[in-house]
Amino acid sequence: MDDCLHLKITRRRLLIASAVSASAAALPSLSGAASRDAPQTAAAPVQQRVRLRINGEVHSLELDTRTTLLDALREHLQLTGTKKGCDHGQCGACTVLLDGRRINACLTLAVMHEGAELTTIEGLGTPGRLHPMQAAFVKHDAFQCGYCTPGQICSALGMLDELRAGQPSHVSADLEAAPTLSADEIRERMSGNLCRCGAYSNLVEAITEAAGSRA
Amino acid sequence: MKFDTPSAENPTDRLRVVGQPVDRIDGPLKTTGRAPYAYEHHDGFTGGFADGLARPAYGHVLGAGIARGRIRSFDAEAARRAPGVLAVISADNAGPLGQGPRNTAKLLGGPRIEHYHQAIALVVAESFEQARAAARLIRVEYAREAGEFDLAKVRDSGRAPQDEPDRRLGDFAAAFAASAVRIDAVYRTPDQSHAMMEPHASMAAWDGDRLTLWTSNQMIAWGRADLAKTLGIRPEQIRLLSPYIGGGFGGKLFVRADAVLAALGARAIGRPVKVMLARPLVFNNTTHRPATIQRIRIGATADGHIHAIAHESWCGNLPGGSAETATQQTQLLYAGAHRLSALRLATLDLPEGNAMRAPGEAPGLMALEIAIDELAEKLGLDPVELRIRNDTPVDPHDPQRRFSQRQLVECLRTGAARFGWAQRNPVPGRTRAGRWLLGHGVAAAFRNNLVMKSGARVRLGRDARVTVETDMTDIGTGSYTVIAQTAAEMLGVPLAQVDVRLGDSDFPVSAGSGGQWGGNCSTAGVYAACMRLREQIAQRLGFRDAAAVRFADGEVQAGGRVAPLADAVRDSELLAEDSIEFAGLDRKYQQSTFGAHFVEVGVDAATGETRVRRMLAVCAAGRILNPKTARSQVIGAMTMGVGAALSEALHVDPRLGCFVNHDLAGYEVPVHADIPHQEVIFLDGADPVSSPMKAKGVGELGLCGVAAAIANAVYNATGVRVRDYPLTLDKLLGQMPAPG
């Protein structure tokens, strides 16, 4: 339970906050004139240097401060295994592990993470040498189009660490007891990662098997 | 290869590789993030990006802020002066554009605006952040015009579509009036969005007057033709590549704004440009499944034989758009001597309606299969038994025309036994588990099997590796894998010895991914090419009678002689190309796929919240080429059906004429916590009438009927009959039994 107290903000809370702000921003204006209130000039972008340790390798990047962690990975480092599904925290396709915790890479700016340690899907395994979680996904056909898959895999690994650390979820019967690795716990904790192909039933089986092999 | 007689025994019948539940061959690439999608072709990663091309610039699309009217003024000066901006493309400077026949509205609007979020500009800049920021500086003044956005309001102005005339048999009105038991009800299905995980994305690069476009598209040849027409160039000038597609569900059947604008942007700046539609733009800018209002009347004898059946459906679309064909399955699913089906299409100024997974059948069965449940209750008959009683071995409109296979009854019986249907309490609202009211529902699944010409090229390299090339796409359906299985079976080599290359307009034209025809037709095309290659191999190795030759275990055998396959390519490789062309059997026989869905739900007695607890699908779809990937198609469709039943609806803002919940927080697709363990049973049954592969489609069948099974289960749980999807709790509360 100790780890839980150190959490600054939960993933669920982050998702809720982002959904509200995104919906508000997306509402059209009734006047029929777009961007009436937009600034009329644009200043030159502010650049800032940031060092990130990604999959064990240190990268030093000079970035537009508006660059999300997701676009830093995809567009500046060509680490396109991390996917852009919504770019505002609603789908989970961009989930990576930041200092061991799962995070939506689209919801944070790269320059906020000086010195951070990141694990992306590319750091877990290769096609010839799959990580046990990746192998379980292939075996159980826990994906179809493959676009949410890297995010599901990173999220599953982060989720299992949260579970092992004793963090309760909405479906945990007892907030004091150690949560169990049940299908319901997996479903609840993975619900920030959408899969429109609908591989959920297989995803639970893959994650359960991979969790068992690591235990 | 012409396919005009039912397939006799052929090499795929061995089922050594075909029909086996092998893992997806693209799995290792997808699970490690190495499969390159449209926006991800760049240097040094997969080698996907062409040599010598400059780093791509970024395009950001601006969508129209009105649903209907004109752009009065368009001021992009500030955007053009913004840092990093390379070009602003709009109707003012894009030059004349054509329109592909498969698009209803223009992909670059202006000055005329046809729907909300129709693309009106592309800002191209050195970085994504710069393009997005500059797009906000564009000032647009509109002259808004009134439009029609409410289907209920315009339905009576609807007309019968030219290609979907009313169908009548016997005298429905008289027969219905004379029926002992009648139901007459109106059902509503909402606008729905594909909401695939990868937004529409394209990257364009010009070399002189030749365009290379990496995109995310289900139908390569359609896309190439329509893009050429739009840009005013010849199809041969375009190479379209779509090797990996992050979901489609019909939303990527057609070229969309990302493709056209990336091409225009790249042409304007003389450098590659990539464009991904921002998620909040996808819902109104692209296509959706149109809403329907459906009236169903069924008259039956007291012992449950349908005597008269009528299905009418109203929908709307932009002028020139097509109708949602929600009445089609009713023409074929149940018996009945007196029949009427009619579609009415009205004009709406909402975004373009078009195909989404199981177009027609999905919303049609959402209504019909509730109606059947209502009829069963009125008759006091079990709903499984009512469906069995009204099975028909022939097309009711043309009794000479038999179904090539029809296993609806077997699907229902198998499912009922497996699910424990006999234990269901037919009286609604009587089964309780703690706070949950439990209910059980059933629905039939039905979807026609369509066939489309499909080509492929197969190479046997000097290293004896087999390479298959076809412009077929894999949108998560498993095309890579079932095509590899087909080639491995036909040529007698291990699966690992086959390479499959897809989604490239340089390859032979395939059936593409749509209408659940892709799996059967594309593998049949590969079968045809492999038959050609077998002849060449036999000839090289000196076998006289190619038809008598067996290919197995890397060897070629006939008449007691055995030769290693590799001997045929010792000196040079062999290459064969062919296509499967379907001629007549689809008219002679009605080819359809069948299924039955069984669902258990719990409805919270106090809050009306519905949770799906158990799901079972039984499917009959010819030979199942790969039970593992086919099962995934079905569970995925069942999941989409849960969304359709309980949460998915695009909500129309009638003032603005747009779908107001245009992102993934507002448009609620099912999440992990919404989906229980799902069970799928495939009935055996190769169908020699469908193709040499004897397979049929399954990806859309899996969706058909799911939502109605859930709605029927909710009724069984609560006694509240909801005929207006989705079944949100507000429609249950107030009519539910008092919580006790």
Side-chain angles (χ1 to χ4, degrees):
Chain A
M1 282 302 288
D2 280 352
D3 287 353
C4 184
L5 300 176
H6 295 131
L7 288 180
K8 293 185 196 79
I9 183 166
T10 68
R11 178 179 167 75
R12 173 170 287 272
R13 208 170 279 286
L14 205 60
L15 288 172
I16 292 168
S18 73
V20 170
S21 59
S23 298
L27 277 172
S29 89
L30 270 169
S31 71
S35 311
R36 199 176 273 281
D37 55 351
Q40 291 310 295
T41 56
V46 178
Q47 300 284 123
Q48 191 175 321
R49 184 157 289 280
V50 62
R51 284 190 326 152
L52 301 165
R53 191 182 189 79
I54 303 167
N55 302 327
E57 198 181 320
V58 176
H59 296 269
S60 182
L61 296 168
E62 180 83 15
L63 293 177
D64 186 322
T65 50
R66 296 169 295 185
T67 306
T68 61
L69 183 58
L70 174 60
D71 284 326
L73 291 170
R74 284 172 61 83
E75 305 304 325
H76 295 265
L77 296 168
Q78 279 77 53
L79 291 170
T80 45
T82 306
K83 302 303 182 192
K84 182 181 279 192
C86 72
D87 213 14
H88 56 192
Q90 296 173 345
C91 78
C94 64
T95 307
V96 296
L97 297 170
L98 177 79
D99 296 327
R101 285 180 48 211
R102 51 186 178 158
I103 184 172
N104 284 345
C106 72
L107 279 187
T108 190
L109 300 173
V111 296
M112 293 160 65
H113 298 287
E114 172 64 29
E117 181 121 7
L118 277 160
T119 302
T120 71
I121 192 70
E122 289 91 348
L124 293 176
T126 61
R129 198 183 167 84
L130 298 176
H131 181 281
M133 186 65 79
Q134 293 167 325
F137 269 55
V138 174
K139 178 182 165 189
H140 291 277
D141 212 32
F143 60 93
Q144 291 174 43
C145 80
Y147 202 74
C148 74
T149 310
Q152 299 275 1
I153 289 170
C154 289
S155 187
L157 293 171
M159 179 274 293
L160 290 175
D161 282 343
E162 291 160 23
L163 198 108
R164 287 192 192 94
Q167 296 172 20
S169 82
H170 174 67
V171 299
S172 303
D174 181 352
L175 297 186
E176 300 299 324
T180 55
L181 183 78
S182 66
D184 279 346
E185 285 280 7
I186 293 174
R187 289 185 188 118
E188 168 62 23
R189 291 165 189 262
M190 290 297 295
S191 282
N193 291 85
L194 302 182
C195 170
R196 184 56 159 166
C197 294
Y200 297 130
S201 190
N202 289 352
L203 275 154
V204 170
E205 286 170 22
I207 293 167
T208 304
E209 176 174 306
S213 74
R214 263 173 35 138
Chain B
M1 176 185 287
K2 267 221 157 34
F3 184 72
D4 53 9
T5 51
S7 188
E9 189 176 338
N10 72 51
T12 65
D13 292 328
R14 291 183 298 185
L15 300 180
R16 285 187 175 193
V17 195
V18 167
Q20 298 302 315
V22 302
D23 292 344
R24 269 170 218 267
I25 64 170
D26 48 334
L29 281 180
K30 284 181 173 174
T31 54
T32 58
R34 265 74 165 184
Y37 294 79
Y39 203 75
E40 302 170 355
H41 292 271
H42 46 66
D43 280 323
F45 186 42
T46 60
F49 204 58
D51 292 337
L53 287 173
R55 192 176 64 77
Y58 293 82
H60 186 83
V61 178
L62 180 67
I66 62 167
R68 189 162 184 270
R70 297 179 70 80
I71 293 176
R72 205 156 47 199
S73 72
F74 179 89
D75 178 1
E77 270 321 294
R80 284 200 176 86
R81 286 198 310 271
V85 171
L86 301 166
V88 178
I89 314 291
S90 66
D92 294 340
N93 62 8
L97 291 177
Q99 187 171 342
R102 297 172 188 87
N103 293 124
T104 305
K106 284 189 184 306
L107 297 177
L108 177 61
R112 182 91 220 139
I113 300 299
E114 295 162 283
H115 65 86
Y116 188 80
H117 272 176
Q118 185 174 27
I120 57 168
L122 180 80
V123 178
V124 184
E126 290 289 351
S127 77
F128 171 70
E129 294 78 18
Q130 289 168 336
R132 184 182 55 187
R136 291 183 62 83
L137 302 176
I138 297 175
R139 296 195 50 182
V140 189
E141 302 280 343
Y142 298 98
R144 186 197 294 269
E145 294 168 17
E148 297 294 347
F149 310 115
D150 183 349
L151 176 59
K153 210 172 104 190
V154 301
R155 60 180 266 189
D156 290 338
S157 67
R159 291 162 179 269
Q162 280 191 341
D163 52 347
E164 298 284 347
D166 296 356
R167 290 195 77 185
R168 291 167 197 277
L169 184 70
D171 183 348
F172 169 77
F176 181 68
S179 294
V181 179
R182 290 191 294 266
I183 65 133
D184 179 354
V186 173
Y187 306 85
R188 287 177 175 79
T189 65
D191 297 288
Q192 294 178 341
S193 183
H194 311 83
M196 72 299 281
M197 295 307 299
E198 180 202 24
H200 301 68
S202 294
M203 176 156 58
W206 290 86
D207 180 8
D209 65 354
R210 302 183 71 83
L211 170 66
T212 303
L213 189 89
W214 289 265
T215 189
S216 186
N217 192 294
Q218 301 171 223
M219 302 291 292
I220 300 299
W222 290 4
R224 186 195 205 192
D226 284 4
L227 185 60
K229 183 112 192 267
T230 307
L231 297 174
I233 60 178
R234 286 174 292 111
E236 300 72 42
Q237 291 171 262
I238 299 175
R239 184 174 178 200
L240 207 72
L241 295 120
S242 189
Y244 293 97
I245 298 161
F249 315 113
K252 293 174 181 169
L253 283 170
F254 316 107
V255 159
R256 299 297 315 170
D258 57 297
V260 172
L261 292 174
L264 292 173
R267 189 158 67 184
I269 67 164
R271 201 175 125 185
V273 167
K274 57 182 187 174
V275 177
M276 178 183 274
L277 296 187
R279 177 59 70 177
L281 201 70
V282 171
F283 294 76
N284 285 286
N285 175 271
T286 69
T287 61
H288 66 279
R289 188 202 299 283
T292 66
I293 299 171
Q294 303 177 45
R295 181 186 185 194
I296 296 177
R297 286 171 287 171
I298 309 177
T301 59
D303 63 350
H305 288 281
I306 294 174
H307 191 47
I309 184 164
H311 192 164
E312 298 156 279
S313 182
W314 289 262
C315 61
N317 211 335
L318 289 167
S322 55
E324 183 71 20
T325 53
T327 58
Q328 272 185 350
Q329 72 290 318
T330 308
Q331 297 167 11
L332 290 162
L333 188 49
Y334 297 116
H338 303 277
R339 315 177 74 91
L340 163 67
S341 60
L343 287 177
R344 292 292 178 268
L345 174 63
T347 296
L348 281 177
D349 299 298
L350 290 171
E352 178 173 339
N354 215 315
M356 179 169 147
R357 196 175 200 167
E361 280 92 344
L365 285 162
M366 285 166 81
L368 178 66
E369 289 298 288
I370 294 183
I372 294 291
D373 201 64
E374 296 195 58
L375 179 64
E377 190 182 43
K378 212 160 184 181
L379 286 160
L381 196 61
D382 183 273
V384 170
E385 179 55 31
L386 173 63
R387 289 177 172 90
I388 290 171
R389 214 166 272 191
N390 288 285
D391 193 39
T392 170
V394 297
D395 176 349
H397 285 270
D398 181 1
Q400 301 304 312
R401 199 161 164 266
R402 298 188 67 83
F403 287 88
S404 66
Q405 281 184 326
R406 184 170 167 117
Q407 297 139 294
L408 177 62
V409 170
E410 202 181 342
C411 288
L412 288 161
R413 290 217 163 105
T414 303
R418 178 63 161 253
F419 191 74
W421 183 253
Q423 278 88 61
R424 165 188 185 256
N425 185 344
V427 183
R430 292 288 172 82
T431 310
R432 189 84 186 245
R435 61 189 245 237
W436 298 102
L437 293 161
L438 300 189
H440 301 89
V442 62
F446 173 87
R447 169 86 174 143
N448 285 333
N449 183 58
L450 306 174
V451 288
M452 299 260 283
K453 182 181 173 183
S454 196
R457 181 155 74 207
V458 186
R459 176 185 294 106
L460 185 63
R462 293 191 61 193
D463 55 0
R465 285 195 70 79
V466 175
T467 306
V468 185
E469 293 175 338
T470 162
D471 86 356
M472 180 60 190
T473 50
D474 188 329
I475 62 171
T477 37
S479 309
Y480 277 106
T481 310
V482 292
I483 284 173
Q485 287 175 269
T486 304
E489 190 81 80
M490 292 296 292
L491 300 170
V493 299
L495 192 64
Q497 208 169 312
V498 182
D499 297 310
V500 179
R501 300 174 66 200
L502 300 181
D504 184 337
S505 61
D506 279 356
F507 300 156
V509 174
S510 73
S513 299
Q516 82 169 6
W517 60 61
N520 175 45
C521 299
S522 70
T523 53
V526 173
Y527 171 97
C530 285
M531 287 304 270
R532 283 265 164 104
L533 187 61
R534 285 164 61 110
E535 288 165 17
Q536 293 183 26
I537 292 167
Q539 197 179 16
R540 275 257 179 105
L541 294 174
F543 291 100
R544 289 248 173 80
D545 180 5
V549 173
R550 280 188 74 234
F551 288 69
D553 306 318
E555 294 178 331
V556 185
Q557 316 163 29
R561 189 158 74 85
V562 178
L565 185 66
D567 283 5
V569 283
R570 192 173 290 157
D571 296 326
S572 65
E573 66 171 33
L574 286 170
L575 185 67
E577 182 172 335
D578 201 358
S579 59
I580 191 87
E581 288 181 66
F582 298 91
L585 287 180
D586 52 327
R587 287 190 298 277
K588 187 171 176 194
Y589 296 93
Q590 177 58 43
Q591 295 183 31
S592 303
T593 60
F594 296 89
H597 290 284
F598 292 83
V599 173
E600 177 181 299
V601 301
V603 181
D604 189 301
T607 69
E609 176 193 9
T610 299
R611 307 294 302 167
V612 178
R613 297 160 65 101
R614 279 202 294 148
M615 299 185 86
L616 165 68
V618 184
C619 298
R623 172 179 287 157
I624 299 301
L625 299 174
N626 180 332
K628 184 177 271 194
T629 54
R631 179 179 173 279
S632 287
Q633 282 289 288
V634 177
I635 65 167
M638 291 157 79
T639 301
M640 197 173 268
V642 172
L646 299 177
S647 61
E648 289 182 38
L650 288 166
H651 294 286
V652 177
D653 182 325
R655 302 163 306 156
L656 295 164
C658 70
F659 300 126
V660 73
N661 52 335
H662 51 86
D663 63 20
L664 292 170
Y667 186 82
E668 296 179 336
V669 303
V671 303
H672 276 267
D674 297 325
I675 303 300
H677 176 74
Q678 294 163 322
E679 194 177 355
V680 181
I681 297 170
F682 292 113
L683 297 184
D684 288 337
D687 187 344
V689 169
S690 71
S691 84
M693 300 304 295
K694 306 178 184 179
K696 288 187 279 199
V698 75
E700 302 193 334
L701 175 70
L703 177 59
C704 293
V706 177
I710 294 169
N712 295 338
V714 168
Y715 175 75
N716 182 244
T718 63
V720 183
R721 183 66 79 180
V722 180
R723 302 183 184 87
D724 178 17
Y725 289 100
L727 280 69
T728 45
L729 48 80
D730 52 298
K731 296 169 187 169
L732 298 172
L733 284 171
Q735 297 180 70
M736 301 237 310

